[in-house]
Amino acid sequence: MSEGTHVDDDFSDHYDDSLGAARRAEVEAHLASCARCRAEYDRFREAVAQVGLLGRAAAPRGFDHRVADAIRTRSAGRFFGRRAFGDRVPFELLAALGLAALVAIYVLMTW
Amino acid sequence: MSLRERLFLRRLRERDEGAFREMIEQYQNQIFNLLFRMIGNKEEAEDLAQEVFVTVFKSIDQFRGDAKLSTWLYRVAVNHCKNRVKYLARRHDRRTGVLDETAERAAAAQGGEPVAAGRIAAPDRALEGAETERLVQAAIAELEEDHRLVIVLRDIEELSYEEIASIAGVPEGTIKSRLHRARLALKEKLGKHM
């Protein structure tokens, strides 16, 4: 490959390492010999790397609750309703209290 | 789709609140990040992300399960985003995409006004920390919408070409060439500051 045949069209695939082996070898050989393409590819790689460094912006705190509130409001309370005992009724606790009450009543009646 | 995923989808279709909470918790950062990077404003992004999840809740029956749930969520988010971008353009809201909260914080720290990509407050420190982030975000905001989308999905979210093609509804080859042009445009926009 001559220095006149620049490889700008392959920059993205080369960066993603998605060129075939033969083409990759050609591009790498060209980059080694062509100062213009090497400089351009260095700028290309730096720009794309900077985007990657942005990282993922996290959703604001409480976002999930605000989504649930929106669904509850728009469904007129059919979904995501507020519950007196939190997310679920504490059946185990209610059963234990009921049993204790029955035992207490039985003891009082037989005493 | 695995058995676990099928069971999870069934719970979503039955409007199981626990399943929806799990889904929101699992995907809220991806969806918020996509919208924030596309729009450049955290308040708009949060409002839009909320709309996305409400839409998903209402229309989960339309998800046939032939793609990953995350792909479908991204697709819903992209559709909402395109509509919002058009709406904001009609409103001539020029703040979006240029002045995000990071930019304002960075500028405040320097005691100056937030600036756009073409004006650098401190050229000697342009590649450092929040200033670099602001420049990169501003450069992304200047890209065409389709270019912005592939840059965010590929170079930040690190999705495969196949998944991006499925989200955007275009062939993989189109995504590859679009990404190439987007990266070249980004190189030119950032090049003058590097």
Side-chain angles (χ1 to χ4, degrees), chain B:
Chain B
M1 188 181 280
S2 69
L3 177 63
R4 186 176 173 278
E5 289 168 329
R6 280 204 298 274
L7 290 173
F8 186 65
L9 180 58
R10 183 189 294 176
R11 289 173 61 207
L12 290 175
R13 284 178 176 149
E14 290 168 351
R15 303 299 191 279
D16 179 308
E17 293 179 15
F20 268 92
R21 286 184 192 277
E22 274 180 50
M23 184 190 65
I24 294 166
E25 194 170 323
Q26 187 172 350
Y27 296 109
Q28 60 180 349
N29 289 341
Q30 284 103 310
I31 297 302
F32 176 79
N33 179 61
L34 168 68
L35 297 170
F36 172 56
R37 298 300 178 197
M38 287 295 290
I39 292 180
N41 178 291
K42 285 190 174 172
E43 287 176 6
E44 287 282 356
E46 183 182 352
D47 182 56
L48 200 48
Q50 194 169 299
E51 286 301 314
V52 168
F53 283 108
V54 171
T55 299
V56 166
F57 182 81
K58 287 197 296 192
S59 58
I60 188 69
D61 298 318
Q62 292 172 23
F63 175 56
R64 297 187 302 273
D66 50 358
K68 289 200 297 188
L69 178 61
S70 60
T71 302
W72 188 68
L73 284 172
Y74 274 126
R75 220 179 279 159
V76 173
V78 167
N79 287 337
H80 273 277
C81 188
K82 285 183 174 176
N83 291 335
R84 183 65 63 99
V85 167
K86 281 182 197 159
Y87 168 75
L88 291 172
R90 282 200 300 272
R91 257 182 34 183
H92 299 289
D93 190 343
R94 304 308 302 169
R95 289 176 306 163
T96 56
V98 177
L99 302 178
D100 60 28
E101 291 173 9
T102 305
E104 288 166 1
R105 278 201 306 273
Q110 293 174 3
E113 292 292 313
V115 293
R119 278 169 52 219
I120 308 175
D124 56 329
R125 292 186 294 129
L127 294 179
E128 293 177 10
E131 178 71 357
T132 303
E133 182 177 340
R134 185 184 63 82
L135 285 171
V136 176
Q137 178 70 38
I140 291 172
E142 288 176 7
L143 296 174
E144 291 173 27
E145 188 183 326
D146 286 341
H147 287 180
R148 205 154 67 227
L149 180 64
V150 291
I151 285 279
V152 173
L153 292 179
R154 178 68 185 174
D155 293 328
I156 299 179
E157 289 295 327
E158 299 181 337
L159 301 185
S160 67
Y161 288 132
E162 183 186 6
E163 196 164 3
I164 298 170
S166 178
I167 292 164
V170 295
E172 272 186 59
T174 305
I175 293 299
K176 285 184 92 171
S177 60
R178 210 175 265 179
L179 180 65
H180 179 64
R181 288 197 302 275
R183 285 168 165 176
L184 285 177
L186 200 68
K187 179 193 74 154
E188 294 308 316
K189 289 178 191 305
L190 286 175
K192 48 195 169 187
H193 306 308
M194 290 180 171

Side-chain angles (χ1 to χ4, degrees), chain A residues 77-100:
Chain A
R78 283 177 60 221
F79 300 102
F80 289 91
R82 287 200 175 90
R83 296 184 174 121
F85 299 104
D87 283 345
R88 61 185 292 277
V89 177
F91 291 110
E92 298 87 349
L93 179 63
L94 292 176
L97 288 173
L99 192 60

